[in-house]
Amino acid sequence: MSGLLAGKRLLITGVITDQSIAFSAAKIAQEEGAEVILTGFGRVSLVERFAKRLPKEAPVIELDVTNQEHLDALPDKVREHVDGLDGVLHAIAFGPQSVLGGGFLSAEWADVSTALHVSTYSYKSLAMATLPLMSPGGSIVGLTFDATQAWPVYDWMGVAKAGLESANRYLANYLGEKGIRVNLVSAGPLRTMAAKSIPGFEKFETAWTERAPLGWELTDQVPTAKAICALLSDWFPATTGEIIHVDGGFHAIGA
Ligand code: NAP
């Protein structure tokens, strides 16, 4: 098999529909020669349905990234399909409605802590759970939404993403000695299930489509997926702790 990811064994989280960023990443990874294993949270049969729509049907392992038993069992479940991993995609985020959509000042800790557990701490949890399967040259990739500034309505998810961006640098620092790279893709707004659950998400959509120098397609997951695959490949061998923007250039332009 030839291609950018020929022979790579990848664990891809975060598929819930064919609009998921992770679905496009899995599809392109397979087209580029990778062997892909998916994880599903809760609705595993739904994930399995979408796994059948990939160029090659991928196995699905159940994983709630906040469940330590699931995390502990992950290496053995992965070994049922492959003997190790070359790359892992973390494409997971969740915040209860109270932490988004203008509720920043009223959101309570119980809900905020859920958002931080699922969206921030889980990056470290997933990295540690898969570490026994990884060897030097391995790559971990996550997804952020530019956390360098406060956005309307994103609220505590913005704080969670700021934490994720920091965790990305710490993970890169701790895993560098094992030869493992850790990087984020900072994507512009895309109409996925997670995005549609954010009240007021259309504010981002208008800003991006009007201001991104390269323009921005709200339903095109491919540019983001291609960047993920590039980071999972051998073509960024000396890059870690980095955040690659795939946002049509929006982040570089002032109002
Ligand atoms: P998505 O298709 O809704 O994917 C989010 C995934 O996270 C879903 O598969 C969801 O599963 C999963 N998840 C939630 N809680 C989980 C848990 N406890 N354990 C394991 N998985 C869990 O949306 P997406 O936009 O592709 O999101 C993927 C990543 O991209 C997220 O980190 C998101 O913040 C990031 N991102 C998205 C955008 C955007 O505009 N869409 C922009 C920048 C960054 P269920 O659906 O079953 O709950």
Side-chain angles (χ1 to χ4, degrees):
M1 175 72 87
S2 61
L4 188 72
L5 293 167
K8 298 282 187 203
R9 303 151 299 172
L10 306 179
L11 186 72
I12 295 191
T13 68
V15 171
I16 190 60
T17 70
D18 53 6
Q19 301 304 305
S20 296
I21 295 168
F23 182 88
S24 289
K27 179 170 181 286
I28 292 172
Q30 285 187 343
E31 288 165 356
E32 291 297 325
E35 188 161 353
V36 169
I37 297 163
L38 302 179
T39 71
F41 166 55
R43 296 171 286 177
V44 172
S45 57
L46 186 57
V47 181
E48 281 168 344
R49 210 177 323 146
F50 286 104
K52 288 193 175 70
R53 295 195 194 170
L54 289 169
K56 182 182 166 214
E57 183 176 349
V60 181
I61 296 172
E62 184 173 15
L63 177 68
D64 172 353
V65 87
T66 65
N67 181 323
Q68 195 56 47
E69 283 174 22
H70 285 193
L71 291 163
D72 291 343
L74 190 59
D76 282 343
K77 290 195 172 169
V78 169
R79 281 193 198 97
E80 288 172 19
H81 306 284
V82 287
D83 53 4
L85 287 175
D86 303 292
V88 177
L89 175 64
H90 178 285
I92 293 169
F94 171 74
Q97 286 292 301
S98 69
V99 312
L100 294 149
F104 184 83
L105 296 178
S106 56
E108 303 216 341
W109 172 240
D111 286 347
V112 171
S113 69
T114 299
L116 295 176
H117 195 177
V118 178
S119 316
T120 308
Y121 184 77
S122 69
Y123 196 40
K124 193 273 310 184
S125 307
L126 184 65
M128 290 310 291
T130 52
L131 199 54
L133 300 160
M134 301 275 275
S135 40
S139 172
I140 298 173
V141 178
L143 283 152
T144 189
F145 187 74
D146 185 4
T148 56
Q149 49 190 313
W151 299 103
V153 309
Y154 205 46
D155 295 340
W156 285 100
M157 285 307 295
V159 178
K161 289 301 190 191
L164 180 74
E165 293 181 5
S166 181
N168 185 61
R169 292 184 281 270
Y170 277 94
L171 271 177
N173 191 28
Y174 281 102
L175 299 186
E177 65 181 20
K178 297 184 188 304
I180 295 170
R181 296 168 288 130
V182 189
N183 294 289
L184 292 173
V185 172
S186 183
L190 293 163
R191 286 188 187 148
T192 61
M193 286 263 277
K196 285 183 203 153
S197 72
I198 302 173
F201 186 74
E202 62 283 352
K203 289 191 177 142
F204 299 124
E205 299 189 341
T206 315
W208 245 265
T209 48
E210 285 175 359
R211 281 177 38 201
L214 287 173
W216 185 250
E217 275 295 331
L218 298 160
T219 54
D220 185 5
Q221 273 69 322
V222 169
T224 304
K226 280 186 170 173
I228 292 165
C229 288
L231 284 168
L232 290 169
S233 80
D234 294 332
W235 283 85
F236 278 96
T239 299
T240 196
E242 188 57 274
I243 302 174
I244 307 275
H245 290 83
V246 180
D247 64 350
F250 183 94
H251 72 283
I253 306 301

